[in-house]
Every structure is written in structure tokens, then in C-alpha cells.
Amino acid sequence: MFKRSILNKLGAWKRQSDRKPLVLRGARQVGKTTAVEMFSGEFDNYIYLNLERGEDRSIFREDMTVHEIFNAILIIKNIQLREGSTLLFIDEIQNSPVAVMMLRYFHEEKKDIHVIAAGSLLEIMLDENRISFPTGRVQFLHLYPLSFEEFLDVKGERKLLDAYYTVPVEGIIHQKLLALFHEYTLIGGMPEIVRKYLEGTTVTGLKSTYEALMISYINDTEKYARNQTMRHVLRHCLESLPYEAGNRIKFHGFGKSQYGSREVGESMRLLEKAMLIHLIYPTTNTEPPAVPDIRKSPRLQFLDTGLLNYFAGLQQHVVKAEDLHSFYRGIIAEHVVRQEFIALDMETDRKPVFWVREKKQSNSEVDVLVPFRESLIPVEIKAGKAGTLRSLHQFIDAAPHQFAVRLWSGEVRVDPLVTSDTKRFRLLSLPYYLVGMLDSYIAKYYN
């Protein structure tokens, strides 16, 4: 059982005086149940329900009050409560609209009970049943595959983790952290994969686990297809994801298919609700807010870079590469960095945005925009020299500030530069592995 960063968030939730039932969201197999089971050690009583089981699901009836339902849980589960705090965990809650509705009454009438609900295919089932969460009476947290910070922790790299938290990181340990980040990029952050790898399974020996994960995702999502045609489209989209991830995509003809925009779009939205993908849209803004433009082509982000490496046949390239940006058009470096950005925000489902300027003569893109104070900080993921960052220079020329970030394989450095339009700015270069500490570095070097 891995210690996950979300445990700190769960502890903060427990201590809130105005605490509401908590809904934990995330794709299947990212460790939601395990995280709650670890957190349950902070309580005097722990009650677990899995609403995929008919017996547990049958407890929730519309003709019963929340007090009657809670008493029924104690009787059916044969639980004698000890004095003290109680955690009720309702897993796979999407299987019972009544259980979802009851979260409101736990908030209003049973505030002494700490309630956490989880469901991997929550949004899909909620849409299908045309029900919604009781607005304003629940809180949300999101769990994703392990971040690099969590990977260091589960590997037992305590001293390196302390160095990782030190701003700026010492150059003497740069190569060690970079090598571990390559290892993390290769394996990915799916808990079962990481566990088996750390127990000694070779990368090639993980084949059956990677395959089983993908099969489970295909089987899960196909259940919610409206008809046989949509099942075919869904399967095609899932099987094409590793080859299209990291690219800007069009729905029409996705994955070299004959499927139309409507069919693929419906399937992609279902996969996004299952949290297997993120559709990341660009913005044209150089000042806050960074409003995504959904009329433009999105960039496709897969759930986990390790899964992407395996299914796209890229593991050998990751192992051999000295720089993650030196192969596969830099897509793997950009994909794992975006995965780190996504994992940082557990309170919302906001996704990182990128910047575009699209003109007939030339197009420009900046990989990620980071809000900081009253600015949008451009972040490029590159291996090249500072002078080759043409799109970043164009963003800086249009922005009302003079600061930018490059993520690369080199050490921490700050360079004074001048754009082609003679605007002076400062470029902070950080190694890829410091994405999780980016805010701290920007705060240190921005002025």
C-alpha cells in the first residue's frame, strides 16, 4: 500500500468544521480504494460498502430515511460501533442513484459520520440515469496515477526527496534525479505496475499487467455504448490512443478510420468522463484568464505515460534516450510533463492549457501556460538552445510581462534574453523532474 499525496488532502478534509461528504474521482486502477483504506486508520470505526455488490446496493432504498439506512448498514454488516469517529466509504456509488441522493442527507442530518464516495465511471452513470450530485452539499477530490514525487517516495528515496524539495536543487544530485525521472517515465504511475516493478518484475515481465489494464478499460467503457456501432468506435478509439496521444487531433477520421466527427466525438467524451483521457484545448490569450477555445483542435492526453510507452512500442526508446525530448518528436517528454501538471491539481478537474497563434503564414504553440499572480507564464518543453524557442519569444512579445520557463534535461539556470522584436525577458530553465515544484521556482525567480 503506497502512501499517496492525497492522504494529506483527506486529512485536511477530516479536520474541516464545515465538512461535507467527499466524492473521490479517478479512473479505474489509480488507487482510490487503497488510499481510503489507508486513510481509514485515522478513525475509530471504518465501514466499507461496494455498490457493485447487490447486497450492499440493496441497502439504499428511496422509502428510507438516512438514519434508517445507516442503521441498516450496521445491522447487515454486523457492526458494533466503538465510541469515537466513523468513516463510511461507499465505493462504486454510481451503481445506486439513491445512494448518490443520500449524500445530501448525510450532510444535513448525519454530520457526525465522515462519508467518502468513489466511482470510476461516475459521470457516465450519472448521465445515463439523469441524476446529479446534490449541489453544494458534497466536495470533490481527484486521484491520478502516481506523480514523480510519489514515485520517489515509494522507492524509498528519502534523501533525494528532501533534495527535490530544496529550491534550488543542488547540481550534484541532478543526474541521479534525472535518471529516476527517466525510470518513472518508462514505467508510468499506475499503482499495480509500480508495485510489481518495485517487487522485482522486469519491464518485459510487466506485459501481462499492461495488457490486463487495457482490456479492463475496453470492457468497462464498452458497457456504456448506446449500440453496436458505438462499441466498435469506442474500441477503435481506445486502441488508437497510444498512437495519437500527445498530438493535436481531429475527430473526423481519428486513428486513420472512416468514422465521422460525431461518432468519434461521442466516444471521446465518454472516455474523458471515464477519466482515461483528457482533451486539452488551446487558448489564444496572453493574459488571464486562459480561456480554452473548444473550436480549435485539442491535444490528446492519455491516462498514463507508462501505458502509452508500452502500447506504442516506445519502451526501448525511453531506455536508450539520454534526453526524453530527443525521440518520437518530443511527444513523450511533453506527455509526462502534462501528466505531472494534471496530478498537481487534486481539487478541480481543470486541465493545463497551451497557447496558439494560428496564421496563414505560420503557426506558433507554447506547450503550457501557468497562471501566476496577474500573469500567464509560458512554459516550453524543449531540448534545444534558448535561441530556438521561437513560439515562446512570440508569446513574450505579446504578453505584458518578461518571464518564461523552459523544461529540459539540463540543470537549473536563469538567462537574460532578447526576443526577435528586441523585448528583454528572463528565461528560467528547469530540469523536467521539477514540474511538481514549478510554482516555488517561479515565485523565487519571477522578480
Side-chain angles (χ1 to χ4, degrees):
M1 298 179 87
F2 302 147
K3 182 182 177 182
R4 303 293 302 272
S5 298
I6 201 167
L7 292 175
N8 297 327
K9 301 287 186 182
L10 293 174
W13 166 77
K14 179 187 177 186
R15 294 187 293 272
Q16 290 177 3
S17 58
D18 58 345
R19 183 190 65 253
K20 301 172 184 177
L22 180 68
V23 179
L24 190 56
R25 299 172 59 195
R28 280 198 186 276
Q29 307 296 324
V30 295
K32 298 185 298 299
T33 301
T34 301
V36 176
E37 287 176 351
M38 291 185 71
F39 179 56
S40 70
E42 297 190 18
F43 294 83
D44 300 291
N45 303 284
Y46 175 51
I47 306 168
Y48 175 69
L49 301 176
N50 186 334
L51 301 195
E52 286 189 329
R53 301 173 187 156
E55 181 184 49
D56 289 358
R57 191 166 58 247
S58 66
I59 297 172
F60 293 90
R61 291 167 36 190
E62 287 188 81
D63 60 346
M64 295 172 66
T65 68
V66 69
H67 299 280
E68 291 170 333
I69 285 175
F70 188 69
N71 286 332
I73 291 171
L74 298 180
I75 293 169
I76 292 171
K77 292 295 182 180
N78 192 25
I79 294 172
Q80 183 67 44
L81 291 181
R82 297 189 294 270
E83 185 176 348
S85 58
T86 299
L87 173 63
L88 170 62
F89 179 33
I90 308 173
D91 206 359
E92 304 299 347
I93 194 173
Q94 75 275 1
N95 289 293
S96 171
V98 176
V100 173
M101 178 183 66
M102 280 296 157
L103 293 178
R104 166 181 180 172
Y105 299 104
F106 272 106
H107 170 62
E108 294 176 349
E109 302 176 31
K110 293 287 291 180
K111 289 190 175 184
D112 56 316
I113 305 299
H114 297 72
V115 180
I116 298 179
S120 306
L121 302 170
L122 210 49
E123 285 78 6
I124 298 174
M125 289 295 286
L126 292 177
D127 279 357
E128 188 176 273
N129 290 288
R130 297 184 181 180
I131 58 176
S132 60
F133 282 109
T135 304
R137 293 175 176 85
V138 295
Q139 297 172 238
F140 294 92
L141 280 177
H142 301 74
L143 187 62
Y144 300 102
L146 273 75
S147 66
F148 178 57
E149 177 185 342
E150 291 173 316
F151 184 74
L152 288 176
D153 188 46
V154 301
K155 277 183 70 74
E157 298 282 1
R158 300 293 186 272
K159 290 184 178 179
L160 279 176
L161 199 53
D162 288 340
Y164 170 86
Y165 293 136
T166 302
V167 180
V169 69
E170 295 181 12
I172 194 170
I173 60 151
H174 167 69
Q175 287 301 328
K176 178 64 174 175
L177 280 171
L178 189 64
L180 285 167
F181 189 72
H182 279 226
E183 184 181 5
Y184 164 72
T185 301
L186 170 67
I187 298 302
M190 298 303 293
E192 186 178 6
I193 295 289
V194 174
R195 177 182 63 81
K196 289 186 175 182
Y197 177 70
L198 295 182
E199 288 174 353
T201 304
T202 63
V203 175
T204 54
L206 292 169
K207 176 179 178 180
S208 60
T209 310
Y210 283 119
E211 293 285 350
L213 280 171
M214 184 61 88
I215 289 170
S216 71
Y217 293 142
I218 291 173
N219 291 341
D220 275 344
T221 51
E222 282 187 347
K223 285 187 286 189
Y224 303 104
R226 289 185 294 101
N227 50 46
Q228 188 63 32
T229 298
M230 189 177 176
R231 273 188 284 275
H232 290 312
V233 180
L234 264 173
R235 179 176 284 269
H236 169 77
C237 288
L238 266 169
E239 292 175 346
S240 300
L241 286 179
Y243 308 104
E244 299 290 346
N247 294 317
R248 292 186 70 180
I249 62 167
K250 294 188 181 297
F251 292 162
H252 181 79
F254 175 76
K256 297 182 173 61
S257 72
Q258 298 298 315
Y259 297 123
S261 179
R262 183 186 61 80
E263 301 159 298
V264 172
E266 185 178 2
S267 295
M268 287 293 190
R269 283 184 284 274
L270 190 147
L271 293 174
E272 192 168 32
K273 288 173 185 174
M275 299 187 73
L276 295 179
I277 65 168
H278 304 281
L279 296 174
I280 299 176
Y281 286 89
T283 185
T284 56
N285 294 3
T286 56
E287 298 181 60
V291 181
D293 188 343
I294 61 173
R295 297 168 300 178
K296 297 183 182 296
S297 299
R299 193 172 297 284
L300 178 63
Q301 181 78 15
F302 195 22
L303 170 65
D304 178 66
T305 306
L307 287 170
L308 168 57
N309 289 329
Y310 172 75
F311 285 101
L314 296 171
Q315 289 177 327
Q316 292 183 41
H317 298 277
V318 179
V319 170
K320 293 177 181 178
E322 293 185 9
D323 186 337
L324 291 175
H325 207 276
S326 65
F327 69 98
Y328 201 50
R329 307 188 310 282
I331 286 176
I332 294 302
E334 294 168 13
H335 193 276
V336 72
V337 165
R338 279 193 299 272
Q339 184 171 328
E340 286 280 277
F341 272 113
I342 290 168
L344 286 173
D345 187 357
M346 289 181 270
E347 282 86 6
T348 75
D349 59 356
R350 286 192 294 268
K351 298 177 277 291
V353 298
F354 62 102
W355 178 78
V356 297
R357 190 186 70 172
E358 297 173 340
K359 294 187 175 181
K360 289 184 178 180
Q361 292 79 13
S362 65
N363 294 335
S364 301
E365 288 189 11
V366 171
D367 295 318
V368 181
L369 296 185
V370 176
F372 181 75
R373 297 178 187 169
E374 295 81 33
S375 301
L376 291 177
I377 307 299
V379 179
E380 279 280 69
I381 307 161
K382 295 292 183 185
K385 297 179 181 179
T388 65
L389 301 173
R390 182 180 61 86
S391 294
L392 187 144
H393 286 207
Q394 291 175 351
F395 181 95
I396 288 294
D397 281 329
H401 64 81
Q402 301 85 38
F403 192 83
V405 176
R406 170 180 59 171
L407 296 171
W408 67 332
S409 60
E411 297 184 27
V412 178
R413 57 184 284 183
V414 181
D415 296 296
L417 299 175
V418 180
T419 70
S420 56
D421 283 356
T422 70
K423 181 177 180 179
R424 297 181 182 278
F425 73 103
R426 301 171 75 220
L427 177 67
L428 168 64
S429 294
L430 294 178
Y432 302 124
Y433 56 77
L434 287 176
V435 180
M437 295 292 294
L438 183 59
D439 283 352
S440 298
Y441 279 86
I442 293 175
K444 179 178 177 62
Y445 292 107
Y446 182 77
N447 292 322

